[in-house]
Amino acid sequence: MLLNEYLKYYREVNGYTQEALAEKLMISRQAISKWERGESMPDIENIIMLSDLYDISIDQLLRGSKHLKKPYQIGERNLVRNTVIGFVFALFFGATMTIRPYIWTFFIFCGFFMFLTLIMVKEGRIIIGKRDITAVHYQSWWERLIAIFKPQQFKKTYGFDDIDIFKINYTSRPRIGIGDWGPDSFNISLLANDGAVYTHEVTATLSKDLPILCDYLGKKGVAIEDDDDIIPMIVTGKSIYDEQQKKYRS
């Protein structure tokens, strides 16, 4: 979404007409209308007043999301979760597979299962910084294991000029029946000019941050591909699933 669309959306979602908002800001209704048509922009004083009036940050007002902390990491989201699962399994097996669960047996199982969960997380990650983007990618669990000792071997750093497209992919799938709760495919892809493609599933946190992340990458010259208009849905609080299902049924 563009700035003028954000300004119109937040005005409407807060229940203001152009006339009512103009009265609050002590400006003309025509000025509000020009903002929302993209013919002019509010000055800093009005931006601050709008931020206070809508009770949102200036970043959220202008970009559709809160401030993006950098470096921003995408991927390897399951590492902590899988380690906890490994610990629980270790506790269970340590207690059930030995007649007298000695402390050393417990630690052996802890180490074993934590090791397994570590090497199972092989999706890699994308780290978006202020000056460049670092991509970490593993082809197999074996490479993930090697990366524990040689992490630099699987890292590749790109300048923003080296990235062709940041693509948002959402694919609805047909539902078999009322009990089919399987998720749709929702991921992002980073396409570099060396032909490499880094794809990651969109988590709840990444979904929330997508508007400002795309805004940031766009300002760095990275082309944003959002064929399904996912960003406007996130900004306006619409259910992506419901909107995509409507498209699928039509």
Side-chain angles (χ1 to χ4, degrees):
M1 291 177 74
L2 301 175
L3 173 58
N4 62 303
E5 294 174 314
Y6 287 134
L7 293 171
K8 181 178 180 180
Y9 167 71
Y10 284 117
R11 174 180 61 77
E12 292 178 342
V13 81
N14 282 276
Y16 289 104
T17 63
Q18 288 186 346
E19 291 80 1
L21 182 59
E23 186 177 344
K24 285 280 186 180
L25 301 179
M26 293 183 290
I27 59 176
S28 68
R29 186 199 64 79
Q30 288 76 15
I32 305 290
S33 181
K34 286 183 178 180
W35 295 349
E36 295 181 359
R37 292 199 305 268
E39 296 176 3
S40 64
M41 289 183 59
D43 58 25
I44 187 63
E45 182 179 349
N46 282 318
I47 288 172
I48 293 171
M49 291 177 67
L50 287 169
S51 173
D52 292 339
L53 188 63
Y54 299 154
D55 193 26
I56 57 176
S57 68
I58 291 176
D59 272 315
Q60 192 166 354
L61 173 65
L62 300 182
R63 299 178 177 179
S65 184
K66 296 181 180 178
H67 178 67
L68 186 73
K69 293 183 178 179
K70 293 173 280 295
Y72 185 87
Q73 178 170 306
I74 300 172
E76 290 202 342
R77 64 199 179 284
N78 294 326
L79 183 57
V80 174
R81 186 193 69 182
N82 285 0
T83 301
V84 171
I85 292 173
F87 180 82
V88 172
F89 269 105
L91 182 63
F92 174 76
F93 281 101
T96 59
M97 295 184 67
T98 58
I99 298 175
R100 296 177 61 188
Y102 297 103
I103 191 68
W104 61 267
T105 306
F106 169 75
F107 280 116
I108 287 175
F109 275 105
C110 277
F112 176 69
F113 278 99
M114 287 183 181
F115 174 75
L116 284 182
T117 55
L118 177 65
I119 65 176
M120 284 170 61
V121 181
K122 56 179 181 291
E123 69 173 343
R125 61 190 181 276
I126 298 170
I127 304 169
I128 300 173
K130 294 181 179 180
R131 297 179 180 84
D132 51 40
I133 295 176
T134 299
V136 181
H137 182 66
Y138 314 113
Q139 297 287 348
S140 65
W141 70 266
W142 179 250
E143 289 189 350
R144 181 66 183 86
L145 178 60
I146 295 173
I148 298 173
F149 308 100
K150 297 181 179 179
Q152 295 300 325
Q153 183 174 333
F154 301 95
K155 289 183 180 180
K156 188 159 187 180
T157 300
Y158 297 92
F160 289 101
D161 292 341
D162 299 322
I163 303 298
D164 288 336
I165 299 172
F166 182 85
K167 185 177 181 181
I168 301 172
N169 314 292
Y170 193 104
T171 305
S172 296
R173 67 179 187 82
R175 302 287 148 176
I176 299 174
I178 193 170
D180 185 355
W181 296 98
D184 290 342
S185 174
F186 187 17
N187 57 64
I188 58 93
S189 296
L190 191 72
L191 286 69
N193 59 14
D194 62 359
V197 179
Y198 304 95
T199 300
H200 291 272
E201 182 182 341
V202 174
T203 62
T205 299
L206 177 55
S207 177
K208 180 184 66 175
D209 294 338
L210 268 178
I212 195 168
L213 179 61
C214 290
D215 179 80
Y216 176 72
L217 291 174
K219 283 180 168 58
K220 293 291 187 178
V222 177
I224 306 299
E225 189 172 310
D226 182 17
D227 294 338
D228 292 312
D229 294 324
I230 299 299
I231 296 301
M233 294 180 201
I234 295 173
V235 172
T236 56
K238 294 180 180 178
S239 167
I240 300 173
Y241 172 78
D242 290 343
E243 294 298 314
Q244 293 301 101
Q245 284 299 306
K246 289 178 186 176
K247 288 184 181 180
Y248 181 80
R249 288 193 292 268
S250 62

